[in-house]
Amino acid sequence: MKKHVLSVLVENHSGVLSRVSGLFSRRGYNIDSLSVGETEDPKISRMTIVADADEYTLEQIKKQLNKLIDVIKIIELKEENAIYRELALIKIAATKENRAEIIEIANIFRAHIVDVASKAVVIEATGDQGKINALTNMLMPYGIKEVIRTGLTALERGEKELKN
């Protein structure tokens, strides 16, 4: 099985997210990542759904999504033709002795320190999943207290647009 990234335009009103996620759960499909946000048109939202599926299952997912009345359009975003990004907030245990090292690691990954306390530092990082994973691995020896990741969000490269 392979990870597939779907960009789905949906009508922006209550219950749509529930219907889409319900479709996945009813059929036993797993959502690895899901991010949703309003588009440039406030009546439309874009969902970026990452699912681990073989080609047959992927086709079934697309067909079932297309049956939902709130779904406007679906495309699969291939890695070579799309920009994938994720946001992570990472809270690390920090002391006076290791704070400079933690800040240096954040700088190497072009991450930002967004909060500093006497015993913790919060880092904000954006990038592809590999970058976020690498940063997290580098910070583990210092003691990660909390992590939150947004899930993948993606857009197709170039001038092509996903429009209704």
Side-chain angles (χ1 to χ4, degrees), residues 33 46 58 70 91 163:
S33 171
R46 180 188 305 261
L58 178 66
D70 301 312
K91 186 182 289 184
K163 293 281 187 179

Side-chain angles (χ1 to χ4, degrees), residues 88-94 98 102 105 119-123 125 131-149:
L89 294 174
I90 308 166
K91 186 182 289 184
I92 294 76
N98 69 11
I102 293 169
I105 291 170
K119 294 183 181 177
V121 172
V122 177
I123 296 173
K131 176 183 174 180
I132 303 298
N133 291 340
L135 174 60
T136 304
N137 289 337
M138 289 292 294
L139 294 170
M140 273 187 195
Y142 298 96
I144 294 177
K145 296 175 146 238
E146 293 182 278
V147 175
I148 183 69
R149 293 171 75 153

Side-chain angles (χ1 to χ4, degrees), residues 6 9 11 13 17 30 46-47 49-50 62 71 84 87 93 95 105 111-112 114 144 147 152 154 156:
L6 300 176
L9 288 183
E11 293 180 15
H13 56 78
L17 177 59
N30 188 41
R46 180 188 305 261
M47 294 183 172
I49 303 170
V50 180
K62 288 179 184 177
V71 172
Y84 293 174
L87 168 72
T95 63
I105 291 170
H112 304 282
V114 293
I144 294 177
V147 175
L152 196 69
E156 197 164 25

Side-chain angles (χ1 to χ4, degrees), residues 47-118:
M47 294 183 172
T48 303
I49 303 170
V50 180
D52 204 11
D54 57 30
E55 291 301 321
Y56 174 78
T57 304
L58 178 66
E59 282 307 309
Q60 292 305 306
I61 290 169
K62 288 179 184 177
K63 286 178 185 176
Q64 295 300 319
L65 283 171
N66 272 315
K67 286 182 183 179
L68 295 176
I69 192 119
D70 301 312
V71 172
I72 299 166
K73 193 169 186 179
I74 304 166
I75 62 167
E76 182 177 3
L77 296 174
K78 303 284 187 183
E79 196 167 4
E80 61 273 7
N81 297 329
I83 301 163
Y84 293 174
R85 291 293 182 268
E86 187 172 356
L87 168 72
L89 294 174
I90 308 166
K91 186 182 289 184
I92 294 76
T95 63
K96 282 190 260 182
E97 293 79 25
N98 69 11
R99 185 169 285 121
E101 293 172 32
I102 293 169
I103 292 169
E104 183 61 29
I105 291 170
N107 289 337
I108 290 168
F109 284 88
R110 294 190 187 123
H112 304 282
I113 306 297
V114 293
D115 187 56
V116 177
S118 61

